Amino acid sequence: MSSVVLNSGQTEAMEMIKLFREQDVERVARVTGYAGTGKTTLIKEISAAGKTPDVLTPTGKAALRVGEATGVFAMTIHRFLYEPTEDPKTGKPIFKLKETWDDIMVDMIGKLVVVDEASMVDKQVWNDLLTISKRVGFHILLMGDLFQLPPVYKDNDGRGFSTLTLDTPFSVNLTEVHRQAQESPIIRASMMLRSGAPEYEAMETLEAMGANKLVPEIIEARARGGVAICFTNKRRHALNASVRKELGYTNGLEAKEPILVTQNNYQLNVWNGEVLEFQGWDRPPQEDLVEAVVDRYTGNSMNVHFGVGRLDGQYAVIADESVTGKVEAAGVGAWAVRKAARRWYKDTYRTEHSIPYLDCNYGYALTCHKAQGSEWPEVIVVMEDALSALRGIEKKRWLYTAITRAKDRVRYCYLGDS
């Protein structure tokens, strides 16, 4: 039995969840709360009460974070719902609902499925999850933070979609920040942003950093398990290049460099937004060996250098031009590169078999959207001029999401356009 003392909001949420599970009409309940209000504690408490839930997240990195924070196993919604296949012509993933729900998943009847970071779930995936819950008979508890970045997904009418705004009579919003959390400058700054204080006042409660120190400080922060978060992909690629130059890396990807996964890869069990450490080349890309890649959808094309690299004891095909962001800049789709990688591997090794292709970039800096759902010991927030494109609450949400990716320390740096 848990010895944790719950506050009034958490107690109300646990009572609501109990009532929710005792009925069989409503399939959806919701618990929302800002950073520091104890949402993660509730997952622990549900498990401690002997009602171990199935915990789902929109991304693999979020699943890893939940597992580390709660000790409860978590998986992606896609892995829970779908059987991944791919288009044989393009290599593009196709997700089909598992055909085994009706017979194998009988043990899901009456079970509680917790969806963490629920605001990141798109409408199609949500509709599929709800359909299966009604067919099989499990309950869904949505959990998330209403002040984080709004969903990227847009409905047909251009409006944003969020599961956290769906109607349900079973809903609790946590408002009490834990006393221990209130002592954190990160939580204090986040509370100021939510309360409507000017952005500069909230950020000035955190540590400032001069632009001339940014690159070496990113290197030192990464050595301690931290990361830099910026607004645009252009800035992200520029920061990655500057960090590599500072480190003396003038050629391609080097062993022990961080790589940011940019597409889910079910064969490798790695996920969009996850940062991995590259372990070295088994077969490095060769300057004089290129593979022509043609994107039949956009009409764009480029020459790509492929190699075989190692990560977490696994092998993957990696493209130089993907790591540097040149593929993205050229408007060549990831699926076209993946198909070419398979062809290159079979031709190079003279085999009918292949190994997975990994979509990735250098991972010294991330955009806030890529960072969402993850957590690091420390974060450097890069406040670039392009942030002025955001107005009012949207800019506050961006800053709020960026600074709450850190557990212990946040520093910020103003950086003008280069």
Side-chain angles (χ1 to χ4, degrees), residues 10-298:
Q10 291 171 317
T11 300
E12 181 187 358
M14 290 296 290
E15 291 174 350
M16 178 274 287
I17 293 167
K18 180 176 181 295
L19 293 174
F20 171 59
R21 298 193 66 185
E22 289 174 348
Q23 56 84 52
D24 203 37
V25 176
E26 295 290 338
R27 286 287 151 203
V28 182
R30 177 175 62 239
V31 174
T32 54
Y34 300 134
T37 56
K39 297 185 298 297
T40 300
T41 298
L42 285 179
I43 297 176
K44 293 181 184 179
E45 288 302 297
I46 295 168
S47 180
K51 306 292 184 182
T52 303
D54 279 34
V55 181
L56 308 180
T57 63
T59 65
K61 57 196 172 73
L64 292 172
R65 180 188 59 76
V66 170
E68 291 169 355
T70 67
V72 179
F73 175 75
M75 72 173 77
T76 64
I77 301 176
H78 278 77
R79 173 153 289 188
F80 179 78
L81 277 180
Y82 302 112
E83 191 69 42
T85 59
E86 62 179 43
D87 186 313
K89 293 183 179 180
T90 65
K92 186 173 181 178
I94 299 172
F95 295 100
K96 297 178 64 176
L97 283 170
K98 292 178 180 177
E99 297 179 357
T100 54
W101 279 109
D102 292 324
D103 42 30
I104 294 179
M105 302 305 290
V106 175
D107 62 338
M108 289 298 297
I109 296 174
K111 194 157 188 179
L112 180 65
V113 172
V114 176
V115 181
D116 197 30
E117 301 285 355
S119 65
M120 297 171 65
V121 179
D122 74 34
K123 192 171 185 178
Q124 182 59 58
V125 172
W126 167 248
N127 286 339
D128 287 344
L129 181 62
L130 186 59
T131 297
I132 293 299
S133 77
K134 292 177 179 178
R135 183 194 306 176
V136 176
F138 56 80
H139 295 73
I140 303 172
L141 174 63
L142 302 169
M143 300 186 74
D145 185 337
L146 286 165
F147 207 78
Q148 282 195 22
L149 284 176
V152 175
Y153 175 86
K154 298 293 184 184
D155 209 337
N156 291 333
D157 59 6
R159 293 184 300 177
F161 168 82
S162 174
T163 62
L164 296 183
T165 60
L166 296 172
D167 289 334
T168 173
F170 294 94
S171 179
V172 171
N173 182 41
L174 304 177
T175 58
E176 182 180 345
V177 175
H178 284 201
R179 185 176 302 173
Q180 185 177 359
Q182 290 178 14
E183 299 173 359
S184 163
I186 299 168
I187 297 300
R188 287 199 298 269
S190 72
M191 291 169 70
M192 291 178 68
L193 288 167
R194 294 198 315 266
S195 67
E199 292 94 355
Y200 73 89
E201 288 186 6
M203 297 307 292
E204 283 178 355
T205 65
L206 303 169
E207 300 176 63
M209 178 192 304
N212 61 322
K213 294 182 179 180
L214 178 59
V215 170
E217 289 293 338
I218 290 176
I219 294 170
E220 291 189 16
R222 180 183 176 269
R224 296 187 293 266
V227 73
I229 295 178
C230 56
F231 181 56
T232 63
N233 276 313
K234 179 181 178 181
R235 177 65 68 186
R236 178 169 67 87
H237 290 308
L239 284 173
N240 283 329
S242 296
V243 169
R244 299 192 77 249
K245 182 178 180 181
E246 181 82 6
L247 290 169
Y249 297 149
T250 57
N251 297 315
L253 185 60
E254 300 276 356
K256 297 189 177 180
E257 285 200 86
I259 48 176
L260 169 69
V261 180
T262 55
Q263 297 282 343
N264 288 343
N265 192 306
Y266 289 84
Q267 292 172 285
L268 294 170
N269 199 33
V270 296
W271 313 100
N272 185 9
E274 191 174 347
V275 179
L276 310 172
E277 184 177 276
F278 180 66
Q279 295 175 330
W281 292 106
D282 183 65
R283 185 187 183 103
Q286 301 295 315
E287 181 64 33
D288 58 342
L289 296 178
V290 298
E291 191 78 15
V293 179
V294 179
D295 188 325
R296 65 174 62 188
Y297 295 104
T298 66

Side-chain angles (χ1 to χ4, degrees), residues 194-406:
R194 294 198 315 266
S195 67
E199 292 94 355
Y200 73 89
E201 288 186 6
M203 297 307 292
E204 283 178 355
T205 65
L206 303 169
E207 300 176 63
M209 178 192 304
N212 61 322
K213 294 182 179 180
L214 178 59
V215 170
E217 289 293 338
I218 290 176
I219 294 170
E220 291 189 16
R222 180 183 176 269
R224 296 187 293 266
V227 73
I229 295 178
C230 56
F231 181 56
T232 63
N233 276 313
K234 179 181 178 181
R235 177 65 68 186
R236 178 169 67 87
H237 290 308
L239 284 173
N240 283 329
S242 296
V243 169
R244 299 192 77 249
K245 182 178 180 181
E246 181 82 6
L247 290 169
Y249 297 149
T250 57
N251 297 315
L253 185 60
E254 300 276 356
K256 297 189 177 180
E257 285 200 86
I259 48 176
L260 169 69
V261 180
T262 55
Q263 297 282 343
N264 288 343
N265 192 306
Y266 289 84
Q267 292 172 285
L268 294 170
N269 199 33
V270 296
W271 313 100
N272 185 9
E274 191 174 347
V275 179
L276 310 172
E277 184 177 276
F278 180 66
Q279 295 175 330
W281 292 106
D282 183 65
R283 185 187 183 103
Q286 301 295 315
E287 181 64 33
D288 58 342
L289 296 178
V290 298
E291 191 78 15
V293 179
V294 179
D295 188 325
R296 65 174 62 188
Y297 295 104
T298 66
N300 297 325
S301 63
M302 70 182 305
N303 289 330
V304 173
H305 297 78
F306 289 112
V308 175
R310 300 186 301 277
L311 55 143
D312 287 342
Q314 303 180 90
Y315 291 92
V317 177
I318 296 174
D320 254 357
E321 290 75 9
S322 171
V323 174
T324 58
K326 291 180 180 178
V327 166
E328 177 187 353
V332 174
W335 320 119
V337 181
R338 181 174 294 183
K339 185 178 179 182
R342 184 177 301 151
R343 181 176 67 242
W344 170 85
Y345 186 88
K346 290 181 177 180
D347 290 347
T348 301
Y349 289 88
R350 300 184 182 278
T351 176
E352 286 303 308
H353 302 288
S354 187
I355 61 174
Y357 169 72
L358 180 65
D359 299 285
C360 60
N361 296 160
Y362 290 115
Y364 295 99
L366 282 66
T367 62
C368 198
H369 274 102
K370 287 292 186 187
Q372 196 166 4
S374 294
E375 192 175 58
W376 292 268
E378 62 180 285
V379 165
I380 297 173
V381 178
V382 181
M383 299 177 66
E384 51 192 302
D385 286 350
L387 263 175
S388 61
L390 299 180
R391 293 285 187 270
I393 195 171
E394 297 306 319
K395 186 174 182 181
K396 287 182 170 63
R397 281 185 171 185
W398 189 93
L399 291 169
Y400 174 91
T401 305
I403 68 175
T404 56
R405 298 312 87 208

